[in-house]
Each structure stands twice: as C-alpha cells, then as structure tokens.
C-alpha cells in the first residue's frame, strides 16, 4: 500500500465523537461545535466511547481523561493498539507537565487542560483536521525516494540510505507532504513535538545532514530551501 499525498480535503461536515462525562461541559461543547457545522456524537463513559470509536466513522475524537468505567487514556491506548489512526484531542483537569506528556505518549495528538476557552478548543480541532490523514501505508514514495516504514529503510533509486531515527522521522514527515512548503515551526511542532517555538537552528542543522545523505554527488537536490519560509521536498523539477 502506498501513499502519495495525504492532504485532507473535506466536503462534508467533520464527524466528531465527544467522550465526556461532565454533562454541563459536554452540553457546551456539543452546542458550540454543532453551531459551527460539526456533526457530534457524545458518549459519557469510557467503554461507550471505545465502542463508538471502533466504528471508524469519526474524523476526530475528543476524550476526557477521567471517565467512568474506563479511563480516557485506556480508551486511547486500546484504539492505538488496534491501529486506529484517528486524531484525538485529550481533555483533562490535570495540567502538570507529566500529565500532558503521558496523554501524548498514550497516543493523543493534542492535550487541552480544563478550563479552556471554546475558541481555543475549536482552533485545536481545526489544526488537527488540517493534518494529513495517517494511513496504513507501509511504503511511502516521493519522486526517487522510497521509504519502507516496517523495515525502516530508505532508498533513492537503487541506493540505500542510512538514516538516524530523527532523520528518518523528518524525511517521513516531508515525504507525506511532497511539493509542500513546510515551515520551521511546523517541523519543530510535528517532528520534534515542541509546543512552543524556540529560537534555534535545530531544523536547519538536521535538514542539512539529511540533505547530504539523500543527495549523492552529481544528484539533483531533493530538499529545497524556501527563503523566508522553510523547506520543500520536490518530486518535480
């Protein structure tokens, strides 16, 4: 199975599953998102949420951490264990760094602490929905590059390229978004999982190392620097 471009284009209302036992908060979220054109289903327990999520019909899940019958992170872990790639926003009153880290390590794509403004919730949902759809593709191809996600190998034509783990993740991110300008902020957030944007040349250093590995002498450069913007993995001349 291959993936060329996972850009998310939506013609129908986003379908969201909300798993939240707080009646008041759930009511506010349902009202707000419905008014903005989302289709909402709400479950009040972890087991109910897991059962509904397994249907696979949702574009995005909002899951509270503390739920009756089954905790939110258990629901999340069960879904990820089954290979379910649906984006998940975790809600929680637990705001310590360790709590947020645990939420993300369990498979959450974003973490929002209570109380929160509805505008922030909506902005985070929109950001998650803009992310490329993660498919079950095991081999990515972009121009001359081929990446096997299972074997963890990369080739340019017949030449095998040895990458360090961070370089592999960086290239995977770029191959999923070929011919797209990727800003340094996007790369820091999505490849390094930074939730703030530090003043650093980290991205430039790693892109430079990656470029030297995938471009052999005499080969055209695949990763283009876009002045004032970021980088672009080119599949076309």
């Amino acid at each position: 199975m291959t993936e060329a471009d996972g850009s998310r284009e939506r013609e129908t209302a986003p379908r969201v599953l909300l798993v939240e036992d707080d009646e008041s908060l759930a009511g506010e979220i349902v009202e707000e998102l419905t008014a903005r054109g989302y289709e909402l289903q709400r479950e009040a327990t972890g087991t109910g949420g897991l059962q509904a999520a397994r249907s696979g019909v949702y574009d995005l899940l909002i899951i509270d951490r503390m739920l009756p019958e089954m905790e939110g992170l258990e629901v999340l872990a069960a879904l990820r264990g089954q290979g379910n790639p649906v984006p998940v926003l975790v809600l929680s009153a637990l705001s310590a760094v360790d709590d947020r880290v645990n939420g993300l390590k369990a498979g959450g794509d974003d973490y929002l602490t209570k109380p929160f403004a509805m505008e922030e919730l909506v902005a985070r949902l929109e950001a998650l929905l803009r992310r490329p759809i993660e498919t079950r593709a095991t081999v990515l191809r972009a121009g001359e590059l081929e990446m096997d996600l299972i074997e963890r190998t990369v080739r340019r034509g017949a030449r095998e390229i040895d990458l360090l783990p961070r370089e592999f993740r960086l290239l995977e991110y770029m191959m999923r978004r070929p011919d797209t300008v990727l800003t340094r902020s996007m790369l820091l957030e999505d490849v390094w999982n930074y939730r703030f944007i530090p003043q650093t040349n980290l991205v430039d250093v790693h892109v430079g190392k990656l470029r030297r590995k995938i471009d052999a002498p005499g080969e055209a450069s695949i990763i283009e620097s876009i002045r004032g913007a970021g980088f672009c993995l080119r599949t076309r001349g």
Side-chain angles (χ1 to χ4, degrees):
M1 191 182 308
T2 64
E3 176 186 9
D5 183 0
S7 298
R8 186 182 293 264
E9 296 182 358
R10 188 176 306 288
E11 297 180 351
T12 60
R15 293 161 297 182
V16 176
L17 173 63
L18 170 65
V19 190
E20 171 61 74
D21 62 323
D22 184 318
E23 294 289 341
S24 176
L25 178 59
E28 290 180 29
I29 293 174
V30 170
E31 182 178 1
E32 179 71 25
L33 295 185
T34 300
R36 291 174 180 266
Y38 290 77
E39 291 183 9
L40 265 290
Q41 179 180 337
R42 182 241 174 164
E43 296 289 340
T45 67
T47 52
L50 178 59
Q51 183 176 2
R54 282 173 169 162
S55 68
V57 301
Y58 300 101
D59 298 303
L60 192 148
L61 308 185
I62 304 172
I63 300 179
D64 185 32
R65 278 195 63 163
M66 307 300 289
L67 292 167
E69 300 179 7
M70 188 176 189
E71 289 194 1
L73 296 192
E74 293 181 68
V75 174
L76 187 49
L79 291 173
R80 295 304 189 228
Q82 295 163 0
N84 191 321
V86 65
V88 176
L89 172 66
V90 179
L91 299 180
S92 177
L94 304 175
S95 60
V97 172
D98 286 348
D99 295 318
R100 297 199 299 271
V101 170
N102 289 337
L104 296 174
K105 282 187 173 181
D109 296 279
D110 199 358
Y111 192 101
L112 183 59
T113 56
K114 302 176 182 177
F116 54 82
M118 283 295 166
E119 287 295 333
E120 182 176 3
L121 172 68
V122 171
R124 288 174 181 261
L125 297 183
E126 290 175 347
L128 289 176
L129 289 169
R130 286 197 299 270
R131 291 185 182 180
I133 300 170
E134 298 293 332
T135 72
R136 295 183 179 181
T138 59
V139 177
L140 306 181
R141 293 189 178 88
E144 298 178 77
L145 293 174
E146 180 178 294
M147 172 178 281
D148 190 318
L149 300 174
I150 302 300
E151 299 294 332
R152 309 293 290 178
T153 58
V154 175
R155 292 181 178 278
R156 179 172 178 172
R159 179 168 59 87
E160 187 162 345
I161 302 168
D162 185 26
L163 298 180
L164 296 173
R166 184 70 70 183
E167 295 166 346
F168 190 94
R169 175 71 186 103
L170 176 59
L171 184 60
E172 177 189 351
Y173 185 85
M174 301 182 89
M175 289 180 67
R176 289 185 184 277
R177 300 158 181 81
D179 303 306
T180 301
V181 176
L182 305 172
T183 67
R184 291 173 177 81
S185 296
M186 292 168 65
L187 295 169
L188 284 170
E189 181 175 345
D190 295 335
V191 177
W192 277 267
N193 296 321
Y194 281 17
R195 289 297 178 261
F196 64 97
I197 306 303
Q199 295 297 318
T200 175
N201 65 348
L202 188 66
V203 173
D204 295 74
V205 170
H206 279 77
V207 168
K209 292 180 178 177
L210 179 60
R211 185 181 275 144
R212 287 192 289 275
K213 290 187 176 181
I214 63 176
D215 297 336
E219 291 180 335
S221 180
I222 291 179
I223 300 177
E224 179 183 354
S225 296
I226 309 298
R227 187 174 182 180
F231 303 94
C232 180
L233 189 148
R234 295 293 187 195
T235 61
R236 316 184 273 271

